[in-house]
Amino acid sequence: MSSADRDAPGFTTRILHSDRSDGIEHGSLHKPVHASVAYGYEDARDLAAVFQGRQSGYSYGRQSNPTVEALQRKLTRMEGGLGSIAFGTGMGAIGSTLFALLTSGDHMVSSSFLFGNTNSLFGSFGQFGVDVSFVDATSVDAVAAALRPETRLVFVETIANPRTQVADLDAIGELCRDRGLLYVVDNTMTSPWLFQPRDVGAGLIINALTKYIAGHGSVLGGAVTDTGLYDWSRFPNIFEGYRKQPPAQWGLQQIRKKGLRDFGASLAPDAAQLVALGAETLALRMDRACANAQALATLLAAHGRVDRVFYPGLPDHPQHERAARLFRHPGAILSFELDANVDLFGFLNRLEVVVSSSNLGDNRTLAIPVAHTIYHEMGPERRASMDIRDSLIRISVGIEDEADLLGDFEQALNASA
Ligand SMILES: *Cc1c(COP(=O)(O)O)cnc(C)c1O
């Protein structure tokens, strides 16, 4: 049972009533969008006090905004933690967080099964003197073998896209705790409704709000949440100036200053309002999308024109039991390979309900030919090393009526010879 169930009130109730519990403006049931960039003070000494951190308040929109802060509190309540910082995109959250925390000479261990742009970002860390070891994170042994004295953190995703490998989340959490390492978990694929990385000892949680949390494919956003489990006094890279408060605050403080403020990948207040609106139905949408995904994976696995199907909810998935133990549902992403005789683009073009598109977590079901799009840039050799075949299609399963979704795949497969 995850902490989402243990805590009262429940997960969705907490989201719905989060803004009210923080004090409501004008009786407004939704946090208003505060569009102002700057904030004025009648007494200039108050402005100075805000700048110096002696007084709470707002100064400039890149660093803080009341609408964005309301969303941050909501995200903290969803993940269970000390605090959150929102960014303009998921990549903004990952890049700003790691640039704020790592320095030349450091080493980090990352899963080799990563969102493509995260993989590309980590590939550039070498030019700043940060060495990254990419390992098969489905086994804690691979992570343990890669650790060095200068290792500062371990970064994994929960369910990897497109092949749906499930990281050895709880064992890696224990390893990080034993070694005093910061454990960073990208929870985008599962969202806090399916899984709370705090339960396996994560210190920082990344969420691409763009995907399931906002949900409707209409807004970009990202966030980092500090769970409070990591002891920042063990982290050598905290600047002297950020060590004044209790150590629990150090990490977020440095990410807020060196990441959010200095890189400026800030979330806009109108985007924050859309994310907050989407979050209200996260649990409802995910339950439905995951049920659809399970039904679709079962249909595809039994179809003669499909080779391999990758979905943690299928009993023959290598991490099926791990997913069943850790996650409320096995997610709403699956991928599959068409039989070699089936024309890939002909099949995709025959789908009528399903849209050929990138993105994940829209209410609509989206299909993308992986090797030809999101994995095109890495080239055929790297794809072969990751066992990404040309016939692989990733599906982000939406909330359509199940019969319509299954019927669409059936007609398109049956018409493909
Ligand atoms: C999409 C995604 C991101 C990046 O999010 P953006 O909002 O697109 O920048 C990061 N991690 C994972 C696992 C993702 O799926």
Side-chain angles (χ1 to χ4, degrees):
M1 187 187 276
S2 87
S3 35
D5 300 297
R6 285 195 300 267
D7 298 348
F11 184 80
T12 296
T13 309
R14 235 180 301 153
I15 297 173
L16 291 173
H17 295 282
S18 172
D19 294 339
R20 281 203 311 153
S21 63
D22 291 328
I24 202 71
E25 295 165 54
H26 312 296
S28 169
L29 293 186
H30 292 261
K31 184 71 181 179
V33 177
H34 290 271
S36 186
V37 169
Y39 296 79
Y41 291 85
E42 275 175 34
D43 185 338
R45 281 173 292 223
D46 289 333
L47 176 65
V50 167
F51 260 84
Q52 293 167 21
R54 290 185 284 110
Q55 187 175 310
S56 67
Y58 302 95
S59 56
Y60 188 66
R62 174 156 33 75
Q63 294 154 53
S64 60
N65 170 281
T67 312
V68 174
E69 286 192 351
L71 174 67
Q72 290 171 168
R73 286 190 291 270
K74 206 168 284 186
L75 294 167
T76 303
R77 289 183 175 119
M78 289 162 70
E79 284 288 10
L82 279 185
S84 302
I85 303 173
F87 294 86
T89 66
M91 288 314 302
I94 297 170
S96 306
T97 297
L98 294 192
F99 272 111
L101 295 178
L102 294 173
T103 188
S104 176
D106 285 349
H107 171 252
M108 65 176 263
V109 179
S110 168
S111 170
S112 54
F113 310 123
L114 281 178
F115 177 65
N117 300 158
T118 306
N119 184 71
S120 169
L121 174 73
F122 291 175
S124 316
F125 275 17
Q127 68 199 69
F128 302 101
V130 173
D131 207 16
V132 185
S133 297
F134 293 97
V135 303
D136 177 353
T138 60
S139 158
V140 67
D141 299 337
V143 175
L147 296 181
R148 303 177 193 167
E150 65 274 20
T151 306
R152 295 284 167 257
L153 61 88
V154 175
F155 185 101
V156 300
E157 296 178 359
T158 52
I159 303 177
N161 137 43
R163 285 275 307 275
T164 73
Q165 297 95 336
V166 179
D168 202 352
L169 290 159
D170 42 357
I172 297 172
E174 273 177 43
L175 174 73
C176 289
R177 196 192 52 209
D178 291 348
R179 306 289 181 92
L181 292 170
L182 177 62
Y183 185 25
V184 186
V185 177
D186 183 334
N187 196 29
T188 301
M189 284 299 151
T190 23
S191 88
W193 176 237
L194 300 191
F195 177 62
Q196 296 190 316
R198 190 181 198 287
D199 292 338
V200 296
L204 293 178
I205 303 168
I206 299 285
N207 277 290
L209 306 173
T210 313
K211 310 292 172 51
Y212 293 105
I213 291 181
H216 300 71
S218 60
V219 63
L220 291 156
V224 59
T225 299
D226 188 327
T227 62
L229 295 180
Y230 181 70
D231 176 6
W232 289 100
S233 70
R234 301 184 70 164
F235 201 77
N237 299 348
I238 302 294
F239 292 96
E240 201 47 49
Y242 304 142
R243 290 173 177 261
K244 296 195 180 97
Q245 291 165 328
Q249 303 296 328
W250 293 2
L252 281 179
Q253 170 87 336
Q254 185 152 315
I255 296 166
R256 193 175 290 117
K257 302 283 189 188
K258 292 291 162 188
L260 180 71
R261 184 193 65 188
D262 293 0
F263 278 105
S266 314
L267 183 68
D270 48 351
Q273 205 263 347
L274 276 177
V275 173
L277 197 59
E280 295 187 354
T281 54
L282 172 64
L284 298 173
R285 288 182 283 103
M286 281 233 92
D287 284 349
R288 169 98 163 206
C290 293
N292 277 348
Q294 184 75 50
L296 179 59
T298 305
L299 177 143
L300 293 171
H303 202 286
R305 291 189 176 136
V306 172
D307 276 353
R308 299 188 293 177
V309 180
F310 305 99
Y311 181 62
L314 292 177
D316 64 352
H317 186 284
Q319 293 93 37
H320 173 68
E321 276 167 22
R322 181 181 294 163
R325 177 167 50 83
L326 292 176
F327 306 149
R328 184 185 299 273
H329 308 300
I333 299 297
L334 63 87
S335 59
F336 68 100
E337 292 160 353
L338 285 172
D339 181 276
N341 298 319
V342 178
D343 172 49
L344 174 74
F345 289 98
F347 166 77
L348 288 169
N349 291 343
R350 264 189 293 277
L351 290 167
E352 289 164 5
V353 173
V354 178
V355 191
S356 286
S357 172
S358 126
N359 196 19
L360 307 166
D362 199 319
N363 288 332
R364 297 147 188 76
T365 297
L366 309 176
I368 189 159
V370 174
H372 309 264
T373 57
I374 48 178
Y375 279 53
H376 178 73
E377 184 180 311
M378 61 178 62
E381 277 164 31
R382 186 79 209 288
R383 283 199 297 274
S385 77
M386 299 172 80
D387 197 13
I388 302 290
R389 299 186 187 168
D390 286 353
S391 62
L392 186 73
I393 298 173
R394 182 192 75 196
I395 308 293
S396 168
V397 181
I399 63 169
E400 290 93 347
D401 296 281
E402 183 184 302
D404 295 329
L405 189 61
L406 300 192
D408 197 30
F409 276 90
E410 250 175 351
Q411 64 79 18
L413 282 170
N414 292 340
S416 302

